[in-house]
Amino acid sequence: MAIQRFGDPSGMAVIEAPAPVPGPGQVVIETEAIGVGGVDAVIRRGTLGEYGFTEGLVLGSEVAGTVKAVGAGVDESWVGRRVWAFTGTGGGYVEQAVARIDDVVGLPAELSSIDAVTLGSAAPVAHFALAHAHFVPGESVLVRGAAGSIGIAAVELAVRGGASAVAVTTSSPERGSRLRDLGATHVLDRAGEGDPTAPASFDVIIDIVGGAEVPAFIDRLAPNGRMVVVGVVAGLPPADFGMRLMDAFQQSRSFSTFSLNTVPVAVRDAVRAEQFVAAARGDLHAVVHGVLPLELAAEAHRRMDLGRVFGRIVLTP
């Protein structure tokens, strides 16, 4: 599935491409499951056009399946193994995907490929974002935009990490109820209101949304509070958002962004492997909104644009 025209999902189309051949340090994976992420939708809309994305791009950053072939410098023992892989900023919506061996992690036999692509990118982002925020037991956490796979993982990890309160923002009572089942203690609307028992301020805010409301959520930080933005599904914040930090100078609040690209490969992959094992034994939950065939990837994007997805949509070839 490639982007023929940036904008709404109708610009996506099925194309035929030659079977890939792995280069040095690469593997070819026969895909069994393909994750549909929020960043895919942001790229497809053209929001990040200035980063060099062009028409013809094949979306998708994570796949799971079986290694079919390896390139020079890659141990032949990988052939036939079930793996999860990061394909970069594109290249995942395919029947056969190419990935660097450094971006490949073996899967436990008990974990399905569908669950693997639901957690493979999202759960490590949530883990390291909480670490980036210097979260410690006893602190309060707000997860902004908690209905997606990153937000769900952040909720579960904050609960497991001993948070005193885990509040979430979401778009409906039904989603809020499901997030409570996963450990959330307070459910707020998209504006951060709606529960008078919720903390007035938070030690940590994990933000997957971004957009125009970032300054309002900076105002919800407690003294010494830390806000970490891991996604901008609603677009970039206002250019002057940092003034909210300066206006509350004596509160010692802080703001940062977080990307997995800053985590050493060995550290990142070790955490991901541990999370796959945790998911296989039921300690971490892969929440799958639905499974669609690859040729219906545009429908998956329509559902995301309508805000109807809880967890992750997965494509199968």
Side-chain angles (χ1 to χ4, degrees):
M1 288 293 296
I3 295 176
Q4 304 297 314
R5 182 185 68 257
F6 287 103
D8 65 63
S10 66
M12 301 170 67
V14 177
I15 63 169
E16 293 292 332
V21 176
Q26 295 181 331
V27 300
V28 172
I29 299 163
E30 195 85 37
T31 59
E32 298 170 2
I34 302 155
V36 179
V39 69
D40 300 346
V42 172
I43 293 171
R44 184 261 303 157
R45 293 176 193 133
T47 308
L48 300 179
E50 68 271 21
Y51 288 89
F53 299 109
T54 59
E55 292 177 350
L57 174 71
V58 175
L59 287 170
S61 63
E62 62 181 313
V63 302
T66 301
V67 176
K68 181 179 181 180
V70 300
V74 180
D75 194 321
E76 289 279 349
S77 66
W78 281 100
V79 175
R81 289 185 62 184
R82 287 183 62 248
V83 299
W84 173 93
F86 174 68
T87 58
T89 54
Y93 290 12
V94 292
E95 293 175 326
Q96 295 182 19
V98 177
R100 300 184 312 149
I101 191 61
D102 286 347
D103 294 322
V104 172
V105 175
L107 292 177
E110 303 84 4
L111 188 70
S112 73
S113 293
I114 288 172
D115 286 354
V117 296
T118 301
L119 293 170
S121 288
V125 169
H127 170 93
F128 288 109
L130 287 165
H132 197 66
H134 301 285
F135 164 68
V136 295
E139 291 190 314
S140 57
V141 177
L142 171 63
V143 181
R144 183 175 177 231
S149 52
I150 295 174
I152 289 169
V155 168
E156 285 207 297
L157 293 174
V159 171
R160 287 173 53 186
S164 59
V166 180
V168 296
T169 69
T170 189
S171 60
S172 71
E174 293 76 18
R175 288 180 168 197
S177 177
R178 295 185 68 179
L179 288 162
R180 284 188 184 276
D181 291 342
L182 292 164
T185 57
H186 302 279
V187 175
L188 308 174
D189 61 22
R190 285 178 171 175
E193 307 296 337
D195 183 351
T197 69
S201 59
F202 297 89
D203 299 304
V204 171
I205 297 177
I206 303 297
D207 188 354
I208 301 109
V209 181
E213 298 304 315
V214 165
F217 282 90
I218 288 175
D219 290 344
R220 299 292 296 273
L221 288 170
N224 298 304
R226 292 87 66 198
M227 183 174 183
V228 178
V229 173
V230 299
V232 288
V233 295
L236 298 176
D240 62 350
F241 76 90
M243 289 306 301
R244 292 299 180 93
L245 293 169
M246 299 306 295
D247 290 343
F249 191 91
Q250 292 179 320
Q251 297 293 309
S252 300
R253 296 165 172 167
S254 60
F255 174 96
S256 66
T257 59
F258 173 74
S259 167
L260 273 182
N261 291 338
T262 59
V263 179
V265 171
V267 177
R268 182 184 64 209
D269 286 351
V271 167
R272 182 174 283 125
E274 291 170 3
Q275 291 177 328
F276 284 151
V277 172
R281 64 173 181 256
D283 291 341
L284 195 60
H285 297 92
V287 178
V288 180
H289 178 87
V291 180
L292 295 174
L294 176 58
E295 59 267 26
L296 292 184
E299 174 60 23
H301 278 245
R302 289 188 191 96
R303 296 181 188 182
M304 287 198 298
D305 283 357
L306 292 170
R308 296 177 179 173
V309 176
F310 185 85
R312 174 152 291 191
I313 295 180
V314 176
L315 304 174
T316 55

